[in-house]
Amino acid sequence: RVGAGVGTSGSGGYLEHIMRTVAHDHFGVTLSLPLHYDTLRNQDFKETVLEVEGHVVLRFAAVYGFRNIQNLLRKIKAGKCEYQYVEIMACPSGCLNGGGQIKADTRAGQSGRQVLEQVEQMYFHSQVEEKEPSENPELDDIYNKWIGIESASENARNLFHTQYQAREKIITQFVSW
């Protein structure tokens, strides 16, 4: 687990990693976990910002569920999206409420919401030590033993990291929401 996740969802670890890395590498700011999120439309649409000298320099969002995704895509299409990074997941409440998760035992009177709350409790209050991937000795061990390279090497970056590539056409041109 890289980060603590977004608010009350089982997602957000990658968003938090990106925010912390960009804040540190580009602005010299070290952020601690958990990041602060403001709830916007509902609990499945949250944002976090980085302010430097009183000015917002980064604005990231976590958007879960199709209704929120549709609203975000409308903003993007209208040219009114102010986020530099958005984490999108189709499942309401993020991954912990996804289709592959534990189902409620309705015969025992258990609701889906109760199961989700139990899973969130285990996820957010576990004794797992949070650390940056670059500071994780277990990750270094996996890279060294299984792949034969250092995790912070240029070779690892070429194999496992991606880069943004601008595209002329975006999906919202082809999908009618």
Side-chain angles (χ1 to χ4, degrees):
R1 181 167 91 163
V2 173
V6 177
T8 59
S9 74
S11 306
Y14 197 65
L15 180 149
E16 290 187 352
H17 172 68
I18 297 295
M19 174 64 98
R20 291 176 70 195
T21 300
V22 173
H24 180 268
D25 293 353
H26 294 280
F27 299 100
V29 176
T30 301
L31 300 174
S32 59
L33 290 176
L35 296 179
H36 171 75
Y37 290 88
D38 290 318
T39 300
L40 300 181
R41 295 178 161 269
N42 54 56
Q43 71 177 21
D44 283 345
F45 199 126
K46 298 175 187 237
E47 76 172 15
T48 184
V49 298
L50 174 65
E51 289 186 16
V52 175
E53 297 177 4
H55 299 289
V56 174
V57 294
L58 290 176
R59 188 177 303 271
F60 285 14
V63 180
Y64 308 135
F66 282 115
R67 180 186 57 182
N68 291 320
I69 294 169
Q70 289 172 337
N71 289 331
L72 177 69
L73 288 176
R74 284 186 189 111
K75 286 178 82 171
I76 291 170
K77 201 172 187 179
K80 296 181 180 180
C81 182
E82 51 192 10
Y83 301 112
Q84 286 82 28
Y85 180 90
V86 180
E87 177 178 271
I88 296 175
M89 295 195 181
C91 300
S93 300
C95 290
L96 292 184
N97 199 31
Q101 299 300 320
I102 301 167
K103 299 294 179 201
D105 185 356
T106 54
R107 294 173 293 169
Q110 189 179 41
S111 71
R113 184 77 204 148
Q114 288 171 318
V115 171
L116 179 58
E117 287 172 3
Q118 287 174 329
V119 172
E120 285 177 346
Q121 182 70 20
M122 288 185 285
Y123 182 79
F124 292 116
H125 301 294
S126 68
Q127 299 302 311
V128 175
E129 180 184 351
E130 294 176 5
K131 50 184 117 169
E132 289 293 318
S134 60
E135 300 168 359
N136 188 333
E138 290 88 3
L139 182 62
D140 284 333
D141 193 45
I142 291 169
Y143 272 79
N144 289 325
K145 284 183 180 175
W146 293 41
I147 306 166
I149 60 176
E150 296 292 321
S151 64
S153 70
E154 185 65 28
N155 197 11
R157 186 173 307 281
N158 291 336
L159 287 170
F160 300 110
H161 296 243
T162 62
Q163 291 187 2
Y164 172 76
Q165 296 179 12
R167 303 283 188 224
E168 282 191 36
K169 295 181 179 181
I170 57 176
I171 193 162
T172 57
Q173 291 174 322
F174 303 109
V175 178
S176 175
W177 296 97

